[in-house]
């Protein structure tokens, strides 16, 4: 039997692998995605078909190939100032309030989880640079994490092509914070060095880290099963500051997941506070 062009065993093996390693759920209707994303991985490894790719994945010592397959099946769609309102909420209310509340510790930690190629954390860094000069001398820790080493390498380099900078980034911020690099633009070192990048798989125990005041966990829970969403939200709630803020993607919510978060509205942004 086949799932569209894909052998059912091949589909089952790949979808189980991706579910076990990253929690990403692939429905049979997504088998075209497996073909379009994994054919190039097979080719790069000198493998002719996806059935052969599965055989190679089943051999001992296939960790690197497994990682390549899992990374290829992630969706890395992102942009600067994505959805805009969360960044307005940071600027207008959340960071000014934290500056008052954390006046003694003079430390603020912000975690962009499932950060993809870094546009989200660099947006946050630019908001801080642009609007909060009073944070100079504070310990502002910006952490960005993803499970994909490939996408994190891109994020660390901070090089974006013209299409990427055209999406959401206001021209004055581009000219102020980026330098031309070949055909693209590289975010300046002073912004890049504000960010610490880490490999973190959301389905594994979180590494020891400073409790974040603000967590961005956007546009990743949509790929997971209900149970997984619930576990991840519980773990995030445990690690974040009790008076911290969580942002989810526009199509995501903690509602009906039986997790102790309260939804609050800040301007046009919805965010969540531990209860
Ligand atoms: C659609 S992007 C979201 C990027 C950014 N948060 C945003 O909203 O613009 C989803 C990201 O989640 C990452 N991802 C998928 N499964 C993950 C997991 N189990 N742990 C950590 N990151 C994961 C992918 O590698 C991808 O970069």
């Amino acid at each position: 039997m086949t799932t569209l062009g894909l052998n059912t065993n091949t589909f089952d093996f790949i979808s189980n692998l991706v579910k076990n390693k990253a929690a990403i759920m692939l429905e049979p209707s997504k088998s075209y995605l497996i073909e379009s994303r994994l054919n190039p991985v097979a080719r790069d490894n000198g493998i002719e078909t996806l059935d052969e790719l599965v055989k190679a994945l089943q051999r001992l010592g296939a960790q690197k190939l497994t990682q390549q397959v899992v990374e290829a099946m992630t969706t890395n769609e992102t942009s600067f100032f994505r959805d805009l309102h969360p960044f307005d909420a940071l600027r207008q209310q959340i960071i000014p309030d934290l500056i008052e509340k954390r006046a003694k510790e003079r430390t603020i930690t912000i975690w962009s989880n499932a950060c993809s190629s870094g546009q989200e954390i660099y947006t946050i860094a630019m908001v801080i640079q642009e609007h909060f000069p009073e944070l100079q001398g504070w310990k502002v820790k910006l952490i960005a994490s993803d499970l994909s080493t490939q996408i994190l390498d891109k994020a660390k380099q901070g090089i974006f092509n013209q299409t990427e900078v055209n999406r959401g980034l206001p021209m004055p911020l581009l000219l102020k914070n980026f330098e031309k690099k070949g055909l693209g633009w590289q975010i300046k070192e002073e912004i890049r060095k504000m960010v610490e990048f880490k490999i973190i798989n959301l389905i594994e125990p979180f590494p020891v880290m400073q409790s974040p005041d603000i967590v961005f966990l956007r546009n990743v829970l949509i790929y997971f099963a209900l149970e997984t969403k619930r576990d991840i939200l519980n773990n995030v709630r445990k690690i974040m500051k009790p008076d911290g803020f969580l942002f989810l993607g526009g199509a995501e919510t903690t509602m009906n997941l039986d997790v102790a978060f309260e939804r609050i509205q800040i301007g046009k942004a919805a965010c969540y506070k531990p209860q």
Side-chain angles (χ1 to χ4, degrees):
M1 241 179 95
T2 60
T3 311
L4 292 176
L6 205 64
N7 180 305
T8 307
N9 292 337
T10 301
F11 173 84
D12 288 347
F13 183 87
I14 300 285
S15 59
N16 279 327
L17 182 82
V18 173
K19 183 175 161 213
N20 292 337
K21 299 281 178 195
I24 296 170
M25 306 295 286
L26 293 167
E27 301 301 327
S29 62
K30 291 279 164 65
S31 75
Y32 69 92
L33 212 58
I34 295 185
E35 292 192 80
S36 63
R37 294 196 180 166
L38 295 191
N39 274 321
V41 174
R43 247 190 334 267
D44 288 352
N45 285 278
I47 297 169
E48 284 188 6
T49 65
L50 294 190
D51 297 343
E52 291 296 320
L53 179 69
V54 166
K55 284 189 190 133
L57 288 164
Q58 286 167 329
R59 280 183 212 122
L60 273 182
Q63 289 91 336
K64 188 168 165 228
L65 187 59
T66 301
Q67 179 73 11
Q68 285 175 14
V69 164
V70 172
E71 293 195 6
M73 291 313 303
T74 61
T75 297
N76 303 122
E77 167 69 16
T78 187
S79 58
F80 290 102
F81 289 91
R82 185 173 189 177
D83 301 336
L84 208 58
H85 306 311
F87 306 100
D88 287 341
L90 286 189
R91 180 168 55 82
Q92 290 165 353
Q93 189 170 325
I94 296 178
I95 296 185
D97 284 358
L98 283 174
I99 289 176
E100 276 188 19
K101 276 200 235 163
R102 306 282 188 258
K104 262 201 197 132
E105 310 91 308
R106 292 167 71 81
T107 299
I108 294 179
T109 303
I110 305 180
W111 181 19
S112 162
N113 210 320
C115 68
S116 188
S117 37
Q119 283 90 327
E120 181 172 86
I121 197 70
Y122 287 137
T123 300
I124 295 168
M126 285 186 280
V127 167
I128 288 172
Q129 269 255 337
E130 195 67 17
H131 299 284
F132 299 100
E134 64 269 48
L135 285 176
Q136 270 171 23
W138 281 50
K139 197 165 162 212
V140 177
K141 219 168 155 47
L142 303 184
I143 302 163
S145 67
D146 201 283
L147 70 59
S148 163
T149 47
Q150 221 181 335
I151 206 72
L152 267 190
D153 283 346
K154 177 173 160 55
K156 273 184 217 164
Q157 281 184 6
I159 300 174
F160 301 95
N161 65 31
Q162 193 64 47
T163 314
E164 288 167 326
V165 297
N166 284 348
R167 291 187 63 199
L169 185 63
M171 184 59 82
L173 288 184
L174 172 67
L175 297 177
K176 187 170 172 184
N177 296 307
F178 290 73
E179 285 159 345
K180 203 82 186 91
K181 183 97 177 175
L183 291 177
W185 297 84
Q186 184 168 36
I187 194 151
K188 286 185 179 165
E189 199 191 344
E190 60 179 285
I191 307 265
R192 266 183 287 143
K193 70 180 193 216
M194 289 169 74
V195 183
E196 186 186 339
F197 290 96
K198 285 177 187 282
I199 304 259
I200 298 180
N201 187 340
L202 280 160
I203 58 169
E204 287 169 7
F206 295 149
V208 176
M209 60 158 93
Q210 179 100 34
S211 264
D213 300 282
I214 304 169
V215 178
F216 278 69
L217 177 68
R218 301 194 306 155
N219 304 300
V220 64
L221 294 181
I222 35 168
Y223 300 107
F224 301 152
L226 206 72
E227 278 291 288
T228 316
K229 292 184 209 220
R230 185 175 296 148
D231 291 347
I232 292 171
L233 283 168
N234 266 319
N235 292 340
V236 166
R237 188 174 52 82
K238 280 184 209 144
I239 202 173
M240 67 189 285
K241 290 263 169 60
D243 60 350
F245 297 85
L246 166 71
F247 285 98
L248 300 177
E252 295 159 333
T253 173
T254 62
M255 311 283 205
N256 307 323
L257 287 175
D258 193 24
V259 185
F261 277 104
E262 177 195 4
R263 183 184 193 275
I264 59 164
Q265 192 75 27
I266 300 182
K268 290 187 175 160
C271 71
Y272 299 85
K273 287 187 75 60
Q275 277 177 336

